[in-house]
Amino acid sequence: MNGLSAQDRTHLEKLACRPGSVFSTCYRFSRPSVRPALLATQAFLSETGDIPARVSDPGIAKIKIAWWKNELSENLADSQHPIPRALAGVGFLKRMDQEILDRYFDGLLELSSGQAIESTEDLLRIAKEIGGSEVLMLAGAGGELVDEGALEAVGMGVNLYRFLNDLGRVHCNETWWLPMDLRARFGISSAEPGQEKALNEVVKLLASSVKPEVENAITQIKPPTGDAALNDGVHFIRVLSRIVVRRLNKLSRWPDSQDKNTSGPGEVFAAWWQAVRRQ
């Protein structure tokens, strides 16, 4: 990434390659041709995707999201922030539809609104809106003839897995996104401790319900022909999606397991090999 200092690159790597994250796991198996774009894109997604959880004031969250939206509409290379400059270096806006970016920011705004999510259906819709946009950005599939529906289903699984993993790991501190119907069904409040059993049941239910859709979506993601960079980006998403399915499977069977957010070398290699075989 030309124009970035070693310090800026280290900052991007810390944002993108968080320990135990699905991206960090798959990034090691990505093809060299797409690594700069993957790193810059994921750093952007990590920085902006954390806003709903990190910023409790809806007004401030709206300002932060608006700043990023505006930053991506200007000349990225002239930005004072290292992430837009990194995105400029990999031609992010040239290969990305504005509609995908707008859908992503709209999803973040909805999550940051301070309004409770009413139903599980609404939660899955938002997860697909945000996660689907994230996966399309990582694949570099803006404007290309790739099955967007399948990529969005994978993105929903990736996005929901992050929620579920946080819920199982830190319990009541991250219940802000739980929809009202699940709160009522399992008797979960926002502040009371000692709800681990109910929260684990939520994790198990949601992981079990979305895993089949993600598994089906994987079979529909076909490597495009005639565009090597896009082909490599979609290959990365196929590896990532298989890792997510494996992790969702762990959550659906052992929501209180200590190893639910880890992937051993054998598991990662198996996901990579499955993606290669199906090309």
Side-chain angles (χ1 to χ4, degrees):
M1 293 179 214
N2 296 331
L4 290 183
S5 67
Q7 183 178 0
D8 286 344
R9 184 176 178 83
T10 299
H11 176 65
L12 262 63
E13 290 173 345
K14 285 183 177 179
L15 277 173
C17 301
R18 293 170 176 172
S21 69
V22 177
F23 177 86
S24 178
T25 299
C26 299
Y27 184 68
R28 292 175 292 167
F29 283 81
S30 64
R31 294 171 176 172
S33 63
V34 291
R35 284 183 184 173
L38 287 174
L39 186 63
T41 304
Q42 184 58 40
F44 161 69
L45 295 176
S46 295
E47 182 73 12
T48 54
D50 280 350
I51 292 174
R54 192 175 66 239
V55 182
S56 58
D57 186 317
I60 295 176
K62 186 176 181 179
I63 291 171
K64 285 181 174 289
I65 293 169
W67 184 89
W68 277 104
K69 191 170 184 178
N70 180 70
E71 197 73 1
L72 263 62
S73 67
E74 303 293 337
N75 189 345
L76 296 179
D78 293 336
S79 174
Q80 298 299 308
H81 198 290
I83 291 177
R85 294 203 306 275
L87 292 173
V90 297
F92 179 78
L93 291 181
K94 293 178 181 178
R95 58 188 176 86
M96 195 53 50
D97 283 355
Q98 186 62 43
E99 181 183 346
I100 295 172
L101 291 171
D102 289 342
R103 191 162 68 235
Y104 174 69
F105 285 122
D106 287 346
L108 293 182
L109 284 170
E110 186 170 359
L111 268 187
S112 304
S113 67
Q115 301 295 316
I117 299 175
E118 293 295 329
S119 67
T120 304
E121 183 179 353
D122 286 336
L123 171 65
L124 297 181
R125 173 185 56 77
I126 295 170
K128 183 172 286 188
E129 188 172 65
I130 296 175
S133 302
E134 291 176 341
V135 165
L136 286 166
M137 286 186 238
L138 286 169
E144 299 289 346
L145 296 177
V146 177
D147 191 331
E148 289 197 12
L151 291 177
E152 287 175 349
V154 168
M156 177 190 67
V158 174
N159 200 260
L160 193 63
Y161 167 76
R162 284 201 299 268
F163 284 155
L164 295 179
N165 189 49
D166 286 344
L167 184 66
R169 178 163 50 84
V170 296
H171 303 302
C172 295
N173 292 333
E174 293 293 340
T175 61
W176 59 273
W177 56 269
L178 276 179
M180 298 304 293
D181 60 347
L182 290 182
R183 290 178 183 275
R185 177 176 173 181
F186 292 96
I188 296 171
S189 67
S190 297
E192 294 181 8
Q195 301 181 97
E196 287 83 358
K197 185 175 180 179
L199 291 173
N200 280 339
E201 287 302 313
V202 171
V203 170
K204 185 175 182 178
L205 173 69
L206 288 175
S208 300
S209 64
V210 302
K211 185 169 71 76
E213 184 174 353
V214 179
E215 286 180 312
N216 181 61
I218 294 173
T219 65
Q220 300 175 40
I221 300 175
K222 307 297 182 183
T225 57
D227 188 327
L230 180 59
N231 189 302
D232 289 350
V234 172
H235 170 83
F236 172 83
I237 296 304
R238 295 174 75 188
V239 175
L240 178 142
S241 62
R242 293 190 180 280
I243 293 293
V244 167
V245 165
R246 288 168 179 267
R247 292 192 179 187
L248 287 172
N249 191 47
K250 286 184 179 182
L251 288 177
S252 68
R253 290 183 297 161
W254 307 302
D256 56 350
S257 172
Q258 294 300 308
D259 67 345
K260 62 181 175 294
N261 65 341
T262 61
S263 295
E267 183 181 37
V268 178
F269 179 77
W272 172 81
W273 179 242
Q274 285 178 315
V276 170
R277 281 194 312 162
R278 294 178 181 274
Q279 290 199 136

